[in-house]
Amino acid sequence: MRSDQMKKGVTRAPHRSLFKAMGYTDEELSRPIIGVASSANEVIPGHVHLDKVVEAVKAGIRMAGGTPMTFATIGICDGIAMGHQGMKYSLGSRELIADSVEVMAMAYPFDGLVLVPNCDKIIPGMMMAAARLNIPAIVVSGGPMLTGECCGQTIDLISVFEAVGKVSAGDFTDEELKQYEDAACPGAGSCSGMFTANSMNALTEALGLALPGNGTIPAVMAARLRLAKTSGMQIMRLVAENITPDKILTKAAFLNAVTVDMAFGGSTNTSLHLPAIAHEAGITLPLDTFQEVSNRTPHLCNMSPGGPHHIQDLDSAGGIYALMNTLHQRHLIETEALTVSGKPIGADLERHPVTNPEIIRPFASPYHPTGGLAILRGNLAPNGSVVKQSAVAPSMRKHRGPARVFDSEEAAVDAILGGKILKGDVVVIRYEGPRGGPGMREMLAPTSAIAGMGLDKDVALLTDGRFSGGTRGAAVGHISPEAAQKGPIAIVQDGDEIEVDIDNNRLTLLLPDEMINARLAAWKPLPPKIQTGYMARYARMVQSADTGAVFEK
């Protein structure tokens, strides 16, 4: 066993003595030792209950003959970090989480790993570590939050963000906002729409790193604890059969994940995280792959924020495996891809039929004929950009208007809430990329303000930063190269005409090449916004969004 390095033989008597100081017995030390990476904390609603999930995992490990040892990772709630300096640290935390799991699993040579995340950067960070370490691993998440109810309506966190814009527009009172604030998030779990956390949790199933139900069983259900126990038991089988992530995280697995992502209309952030996980697995997953898969994959689930359904609805309709069962009918799933069940993914699909064809539509009546995301290129985004096209109004799929340029999110939000953005405008927010931000902040505040003020069918928003999975409207992010790397977005000026053409995958600054080149030649970078600490180091090492914002070699 791998753990013998720290516990077996005469020379390891001091090591065993230290384990015994923590109460471990000789019998426990003789068993396979399983590291349980827990991101439980009291600052994220999606993680506040993970201590109970971890205990269920540990019970499963013990039932199957293993010894669990828990260690902690950091975690950031993007919703609470949103709109202030804290959001600069969110994407960068992904690398810290991956590094911390790696460090623990190398310092303590565990025989296997159970990864227990639940929110935006923690999920991909842990999966990146699993790919990097390549020891048997399984993911079991905390599950989604239930929706809230207020004034006869089903609401979620995004409802509150958009209500802020409604207050500014005079369509909502402070009292109505308070009612939404109190009701939108009724308890533990990752926010209830197909936002980044739930998109990534769902994709753990498509990638094969989690058992069926991991992405959709609500946090408060007993089925979540049963899944945790089963996952704890299953890691022992993975250890016994030496089923490692390199056997699961194949090119076929990533194609399955992108296909499922397109079918359920996931967060644009999946185009950051899936390439980053693939990078750790030694696989290249370029943005063009997302577009190729989108072209052949219909959008079958209309999830919040673009539609009316939530994760609990998807779970009751059969979950991710039911969606994959539907996709398999058109041969869109690579059925031979291995999963942590120990079987090919195709072996389990027929056991998961769709129980509500309105939540998971058949091919005959998709919500849209192509996938949830689209990749736009052009002279404004030579290396690509990403838009959640399933959440864009039909009237905004092609839009041309004058640029309103801002060098920070805060300046843009002030202008939007101050009524300075007019119908037809193209809001450009730059110097918010991985390097220029630094940290590539999510921009739910400006997109929600635009939607709340009733401008989401009239105004486009472009950025080298990124968007929350809760964003809707013509919001194009991840523009690469970013402004801090002398991308063309750096030289856009107020009044320049910009055309967004989603149907033709184009993002165009309507200026002659000679003028663009002259402006780029005269461009001078802004000084770094953070000059000390971790994010200063991060800014020096991180690459552009089209790479998945991974570190340079």
Side-chain angles (χ1 to χ4, degrees), residues 49-65:
H49 67 304
L50 289 189
D51 56 337
K52 298 179 178 62
V53 176
V54 166
E55 287 304 315
V57 166
K58 292 164 69 177
I61 293 169
R62 292 190 182 105
M63 283 191 287

Side-chain angles (χ1 to χ4, degrees), residues 193-278:
M194 192 55 83
F195 316 141
T196 304
N198 289 325
S199 296
M200 292 308 302
N201 272 336
L203 294 182
T204 63
E205 295 186 47
L207 282 169
L209 280 180
L211 295 174
N214 186 60
T216 59
I217 297 172
V220 297
M221 288 190 175
R224 175 60 54 180
L225 297 180
R226 295 198 297 271
L227 176 68
K229 290 179 182 178
T230 303
S231 299
M233 296 173 71
Q234 188 62 20
I235 188 61
M236 297 304 295
R237 179 183 174 189
L238 298 177
V239 170
E241 298 181 11
N242 194 34
I243 298 177
T244 47
D246 65 332
K247 298 170 184 174
I248 295 172
L249 293 175
T250 61
K251 185 72 172 183
F254 284 100
L255 288 175
N256 283 342
V258 177
T259 299
V260 171
D261 186 17
M262 295 303 164
F264 64 45
S267 164
T268 52
N269 287 314
T270 59
S271 67
L272 278 177
H273 300 320
L274 286 175
I277 299 164

Side-chain angles (χ1 to χ4, degrees), residues 84-154:
H84 59 86
Q85 185 83 347
M87 181 48 75
K88 292 179 180 290
Y89 289 78
S90 177
L91 182 59
S93 74
R94 185 187 71 180
E95 268 56 36
L96 282 176
I97 291 161
D99 289 350
S100 68
V101 175
E102 175 198 358
V103 165
M104 290 297 289
M106 295 306 293
Y108 300 87
F110 302 121
D111 297 300
L113 284 171
V114 181
L115 306 169
V116 188
N118 208 34
C119 289
D120 293 20
K121 309 309 166 297
I122 303 96
I123 305 159
M126 287 195 181
M127 287 197 284
M128 289 164 67
R132 187 186 302 173
L133 289 161
N134 202 36
I135 61 176
I138 190 169
V139 178
V140 55
S141 301
M145 186 185 293
L146 296 177
T147 55
E149 299 291 330
C150 185
C151 308
Q153 293 183 309
T154 298

